[in-house]
Amino acid sequence: MNHLPQAWGRPRDDVYGPYDSSYLQNNGPNQHTQQPIVTGTSVIALKFKDGVVIAADNLASYGSLARFTNVKRLRKFADTSVVGFGGDVSDMQYLDRLLNSLDIDEAYSSAGDTLNAHNLHTYLSKVLYKRRSDFNPLWNQLLVAGLDGEDMPFLASADLLGTTFSSPSLATGFGAHLAQPILRKVAPDEETAAKLSKEDAVQSVKECMKVLFYRDARSLDKYSIAVITKEGIDLKEDEKLEQQSWAFADKIRGYGTQVN
Amino acid sequence: MAMFSQNPLMNGPNYSFNQAPATASDGHKQHGFYPYTDNGGSTLAISGADFTIMAGDTRSTSGYSINTRYKPKVFKIGGTTASQNDATIVLSVVGFAADGEALKERLDAVVKMYRYQHGKPMSVKACAQRLSTILYGKRFFPYYVTAILGGLDEEGKGVVYSYDPVGSYEREMCRAAGAAASLIMPFLDNQVNFKNQYEPESGAGHELQEREKIPLPRGEVEDLVKDAFDSAVERHIEVGDGLQMMIVTKDGIEERYLPLKKD
Amino acid sequence: MFRNNYDNDSVTFSPQGRIFQVEYASEAVKQGSVVVGIVSKTHAVLVAVKRNAEELSSYQKKIIAIDEHLGLSLAGLASDARVLSNFMKQQSLSSRLTYGRAIPVSRLVTSIGDRAQTNTQHYGKRPYGVGLLVAGVDESGPHLFEFQPSGMTQEMVACAIGARSQMARTYLERNLEKFADCGKEKLIAHGLRALKESLAQDKELTVENCSVGVVGVRGEGMTAIEGFKLFDGQDVQQWLSLVTEGAEEGEGEGEGMEVDS
């Protein structure tokens, strides 16, 4: 009989060969996120006269694989703001849970003072900066849209490094290259944005979503769009790109069907 | 073969339970994540006889992209109100914007606590020393910023302190920092400290007399700042959009915004 | 000899359901000089009588500014108040840092209430020997809160704590309806009059022994606030002159009309 109780019931080396325990060994460093895995692409947003419009498609990619096609990347907060998430989807879901608990904590103080979009953006940027300082980043680029303390339109960005900035129009990821130039044409500065009508703003953002779908390989024609005004949040999560025209494509070498 | 392998104590058939350490061994951590970025931009500070001007462009960049055309790099420090309208110290930060923001807020909290505990505002000299220790406190994970602190000293003279990212600092007449520092600083050397300027016909070689150093009047300094940035915008892609100036005098801090080229 | 066996610590109830240590702490509040707080639709004010321990010493600190939007006044152990005030300063700074928002007054008061309560439920701890009046403004307007060593906090329209504060409270109760629509000056005048009621016969309010703190919003339904301002020394004169004998006529009229009805 074997006198090592730890060995009882285990496969014998002389029968099965020595056990390969290498998989148990974690002889590497403590692993933190080194790269995003399942990712969302661009988020775009534009301020207008009395609010902000923000949009993101419903795709979560696994590398080049279109893995999940019904992922909502816009999130309401306390009926005052919308957060749009680009980058890692699991980190987005973590932040979603974090915001849920923040929302509940806030609701407990019955004073009726909710966090506005500006407060929310400050908070999120601190969370992101803290995590990057711990070398354990949340791999996201966020846009926070809503109204600030004076009920004026608010739009700002925060990313995995804790970098923050605000502008009349913002776009993350591919959108920074493809959509932002279009949006900047619509609203080059705050004064112009303050005169922009809601209809024009929504129209411009939809147009940008279309351009992104044409050229961003990790994008989808199903998207979410939210309009935040004093009246509340109008969030639509099952929009489809309309009036696509791929006529431009067959004139471009390598895009259409022609070979040379 | 396996009979005599592995565990020398048993010298018999061995069993496969995990003899490997259950926890990860100490190794050197390696990371694919780089915690810094450069957000471009430039700052500039010049002190005068009874004023200090702190300035910075308002462009924020990521690579070749412009994040926004308005992201201030010059901040009032240590006021008692949210609007900082009673502040007397100005800090400018350029480099990694998130670190800059964190540094600003930390220094601001420190100066506010100083006022709360001592019942009087902090002097620029004390604030400068404190900023140095804050920066050095993160010597091995630095705030990736070039900071400049400005205000008025105990005698009411303009004062500028400049820093490196880990807290080495000195008092100066003027300093340019950030992306276009190497473009602006030589200009300042010449125009503020009159470097390479000599009295005409004062002689040759060692006989040559340097132009006498005098503190510049405020209007001239403002023009100098504007010219410095207009020139930097022409030659550096990360500089542009807007120029934010803060002028510290005994009457408080005057803030000014001027447009720069947006291309 | 009778000896109270139930007051050795703050965690033991007496058979009558009392915690003596906490009650003693409340006594410490009553030893402190009187402070009065009143709130209107636009302002919250704190007024306090300062004592000097002896002729040669300075006067104590009765009102402390915490943040732009709030301040407190204390009655009882000043050193305990300082601990609480430091904590409140940290809380309000941290709120501004993490949310970019001035901390709501009720939340701050609740947090010191919670701290004070833990002192009454852990062996070896001592309750704070100080009562506070916290005046501030936030998104929902001006507020006044009372804090007691037991950890009790409550929002008040007007309140007085400290030695002989009952007299001041009587004055406040009598004028309660007037406060809501008062402006800054009238509110401070009411506060000072309440303070006067509590004064010992031979005492008078002077610039040396009086402190005033005001915070408010610039009109109802704010956004722009009038930051917490502390008046001490000569700065108090402007307020004291509101309630010196000559200036009392208006109020006398009011009093007369009440008698009429």
Side-chain angles (χ1 to χ4, degrees):
Chain A
M1 182 188 155
N2 182 277
H3 294 281
L4 280 174
Q6 301 100 303
W8 296 351
R10 286 176 173 275
R12 287 170 58 137
D13 282 5
D14 54 342
V15 179
Y16 297 101
Y19 183 73
D20 179 10
S21 60
S22 64
Y23 86 96
L24 286 165
Q25 222 157 18
N26 181 12
N27 51 358
N30 232 331
Q31 292 271 316
H32 286 156
T33 311
Q34 307 291 323
Q35 53 178 335
I37 307 295
V38 178
T39 59
T41 183
S42 324
V43 186
I44 60 171
L46 173 64
K47 282 199 223 177
F48 61 93
K49 188 155 45 106
D50 29 34
V52 191
V53 53
I54 181 170
D57 70 24
N58 292 353
L59 178 68
S61 308
Y62 179 69
S64 58
L65 174 72
R67 182 64 184 82
F68 305 104
T69 54
N70 198 26
V71 174
K72 311 294 166 23
R73 297 195 289 124
L74 299 185
R75 185 206 189 276
K76 279 202 242 187
F77 183 85
D79 287 321
T80 59
S81 338
V82 169
V83 188
F85 295 85
D88 193 278
V89 169
S90 66
D91 286 345
M92 169 183 90
Q93 289 167 344
Y94 166 78
L95 282 168
D96 181 53
R97 294 193 292 276
L98 193 71
L99 290 182
N100 268 327
S101 63
L102 177 68
D103 198 6
I104 292 167
D105 285 352
E106 280 298 308
Y108 270 114
S109 77
S110 53
D113 38 282
T114 47
L115 293 170
N116 58 41
H118 177 257
N119 300 145
L120 183 63
H121 174 257
T122 309
Y123 173 73
L124 283 169
S125 69
K126 301 289 144 120
V127 172
L128 291 165
Y129 183 73
K130 170 76 170 59
R131 289 290 291 262
R132 88 95 217 190
S133 299
D134 295 342
F135 277 89
N136 188 196
L138 291 165
W139 217 286
N140 297 105
Q141 248 209 78
L142 317 179
L143 296 189
V144 182
L147 301 171
D148 66 11
E150 265 91 54
D151 271 350
M152 295 297 281
F154 176 89
L155 174 60
S157 157
D159 70 5
L160 66 163
L161 294 174
T163 315
T164 58
F165 44 85
S166 176
S167 178
S169 65
L170 285 173
T172 73
F174 233 105
H177 301 104
L178 291 178
Q180 183 71 309
I182 301 173
L183 295 172
R184 285 214 178 121
K185 223 161 209 172
V186 179
D189 47 41
E190 295 286 350
E191 290 74 45
T192 324
K195 286 180 199 129
L196 199 62
S197 76
K198 175 176 146 184
E199 289 69 29
D200 288 350
V202 171
Q203 180 57 38
S204 305
V205 165
K206 285 185 173 172
E207 194 61 28
C208 286
M209 290 307 286
K210 201 152 70 184
V211 170
L212 282 169
F213 181 58
Y214 288 152
R215 280 297 184 177
D216 181 358
R218 311 282 173 258
S219 69
L220 200 66
D221 52 354
K222 276 190 347 185
Y223 66 99
S224 309
I225 187 165
V227 181
I228 307 102
T229 56
K230 233 182 271 185
E231 279 66 52
I233 300 171
D234 177 22
L235 173 62
K236 285 182 260 183
E237 293 185 312
D238 275 305
E239 295 294 280
K240 191 104 168 86
L241 282 182
E242 282 160 7
Q243 294 176 313
Q244 288 178 46
S245 167
W246 289 82
F248 70 91
D250 57 36
K251 301 212 172 50
I252 299 169
R253 186 161 308 187
Y255 212 122
T257 49
Q258 82 276 36
V259 185
N260 39 28
Chain B
M1 290 299 115
M3 299 256 300
F4 304 102
S5 68
Q6 306 230 336
N7 193 336
L9 280 177
M10 289 181 67
N11 199 15
N14 282 290
Y15 299 88
S16 49
F17 44 86
N18 183 18
Q19 288 171 324
T23 55
S25 60
D26 283 358
H28 292 288
K29 296 198 174 186
Q30 50 166 25
H31 293 285
F33 170 64
Y34 188 68
Y36 294 115
T37 190
D38 183 1
N39 296 107
S42 245
T43 57
L44 164 56
I46 301 173
S47 64
D50 57 355
F51 67 92
T52 292
I53 296 191
M54 306 277 288
D57 71 320
T58 64
R59 179 176 288 183
S60 161
T61 63
S62 293
Y64 288 130
S65 302
I66 295 172
N67 290 329
T68 175
R69 300 194 191 282
Y70 188 71
K71 169 90 183 165
K73 290 187 249 298
V74 189
F75 307 104
K76 296 177 188 173
I77 293 291
T80 61
T81 63
S83 60
Q84 301 269 27
N85 54 2
D86 56 348
T88 55
I89 301 174
V90 177
L91 172 74
S92 75
V93 279
V94 64
F96 174 35
D99 273 351
E101 200 87 5
L103 180 64
K104 169 204 74 175
E105 284 176 359
R106 222 173 122 188
L107 187 67
D108 187 48
V110 163
V111 179
K112 280 185 162 71
M113 279 313 284
Y114 182 101
R115 189 195 290 266
Y116 172 74
Q117 278 161 349
H118 296 87
K120 62 177 185 189
M122 201 174 197
S123 68
V124 188
K125 193 178 175 182
C127 187
Q129 173 77 268
R130 188 69 184 84
L131 178 55
S132 171
T133 53
I134 289 172
L135 287 165
Y136 192 79
K138 269 171 70 71
R139 172 62 180 80
F140 299 107
F141 183 24
Y143 287 118
Y144 221 133
V145 291
T146 318
I148 306 175
L149 196 72
L152 300 177
D153 66 9
E154 282 95 337
E155 295 158 27
K157 290 189 187 131
V159 50
V160 163
Y161 291 93
S162 71
Y163 297 77
D164 80 350
V166 287
S168 154
Y169 79 113
E170 64 177 326
R171 186 176 169 174
E172 291 182 294
M173 283 297 288
C174 67
R175 170 58 63 184
S182 56
L183 279 66
I184 299 175
M185 202 61 216
F187 171 70
L188 258 35
D189 285 339
N190 182 247
Q191 291 296 310
V192 177
N193 291 322
F194 300 151
K195 289 284 162 60
N196 292 306
Q197 295 200 44
Y198 298 95
E199 292 300 333
E201 284 151 53
S202 57
H206 290 295
E207 302 293 293
L208 213 51
Q209 298 270 304
E210 285 188 4
R211 181 177 162 191
E212 194 199 348
K213 286 185 178 52
I214 44 143
L216 297 171
R218 181 175 151 181
E220 236 167 87
V221 175
E222 282 178 37
D223 290 345
L224 230 47
V225 171
K226 177 79 168 106
D227 289 348
F229 272 93
D230 279 334
S231 310
V233 169
E234 291 294 326
R235 289 288 187 177
H236 202 116
I237 56 167
E238 291 174 352
V239 181
D241 292 335
L243 173 59
Q244 185 200 18
M245 274 163 94
M246 292 215 192
I247 303 133
V248 192
T249 64
K250 64 178 186 340
D251 304 318
I253 301 172
E254 201 178 304
E255 195 172 350
R256 182 103 50 93
Y257 175 86
L258 297 165
L260 291 175
K261 282 170 78 170
K262 298 192 197 303
D263 56 3
Chain C
M1 255 283 270
F2 169 76
R3 191 173 165 276
N4 189 346
N5 285 316
Y6 298 98
D7 68 351
N8 292 315
D9 55 64
S10 64
V11 301
T12 311
F13 277 107
S14 81
Q16 286 76 40
R18 300 163 61 178
I19 301 172
F20 284 101
Q21 280 296 327
V22 174
E23 292 186 19
Y24 298 162
S26 304
E27 288 304 313
V29 177
K30 290 172 196 160
Q31 310 270 337
S33 68
V34 63
V35 294
V36 173
I38 317 178
V39 69
S40 76
K41 281 178 189 162
T42 56
H43 288 84
V45 304
L46 298 170
V47 291
V49 182
K50 296 186 284 189
R51 280 202 288 235
N52 53 346
E54 48 177 303
E55 205 76 357
L56 298 172
S57 78
S58 62
Y59 287 84
Q60 53 182 158
K61 208 172 175 179
K62 292 291 282 183
I63 301 181
I64 303 173
I66 301 292
D67 200 344
E68 187 188 0
H69 69 299
L70 81 151
L72 61 81
S73 60
L74 58 109
L77 294 181
S79 39
D80 282 16
R82 213 168 52 233
V83 170
L84 284 167
S85 128
N86 289 346
F87 173 74
M88 289 164 82
K89 177 79 184 172
Q90 278 179 356
Q91 291 285 301
S92 48
L93 269 181
S94 121
S95 172
R96 283 193 192 269
L97 219 59
T98 40
Y99 301 106
R101 168 178 82 162
I103 192 167
V105 187
S106 67
R107 186 171 301 192
L108 187 60
V109 172
T110 310
S111 76
I112 56 166
D114 290 349
R115 269 171 84 92
Q117 195 280 336
T118 47
N119 285 348
T120 70
Q121 214 178 15
H122 288 274
Y123 191 84
K125 297 226 179 215
R126 162 177 83 73
Y128 291 112
V130 72
L132 305 178
L133 294 183
V134 182
V137 293
D138 55 30
E139 283 159 69
S140 49
H143 298 282
L144 173 70
F145 283 90
E146 179 192 2
F147 161 88
Q148 287 289 343
S150 59
M152 185 231 46
T153 61
Q154 58 188 342
E155 178 150 21
M156 307 295 280
V157 174
C159 188
I161 55 172
R164 302 162 55 90
S165 59
Q166 183 52 53
M167 313 280 278
R169 271 199 300 278
T170 309
Y171 174 89
L172 295 174
E173 280 163 22
R174 243 188 240 137
N175 294 280
L176 194 59
E177 322 78 62
K178 296 178 193 162
F179 298 149
D181 296 309
C182 279
K184 176 163 79 177
E185 286 77 13
K186 283 202 168 160
L187 212 56
I188 294 174
H190 277 300
L192 289 171
R193 274 187 222 108
L195 215 55
K196 272 185 164 178
E197 298 281 324
S198 284
L199 248 36
Q201 213 110 65
D202 55 336
K203 282 275 170 56
E204 238 183 276
L205 288 181
T206 65
V207 289
E208 281 83 32
N209 72 1
C210 186
S211 280
V212 175
V214 202
V215 63
V217 294
R218 300 197 193 282
E220 262 179 81
M222 83 137 191
T223 47
I225 77 163
E226 203 180 305
F228 189 88
K229 180 117 176 64
L230 177 55
F231 299 89
D232 257 323
Q234 282 308 316
D235 298 337
V236 181
Q237 187 55 52
Q238 54 174 316
W239 306 120
L240 282 181
S241 54
L242 289 178
V243 292
T244 47
E245 302 312 317
E248 292 278 18
E249 285 153 33
E251 201 51 39
E253 238 170 75
E255 219 90 315
M257 287 177 62
E258 258 172 58
V259 174
D260 261 356
S261 64

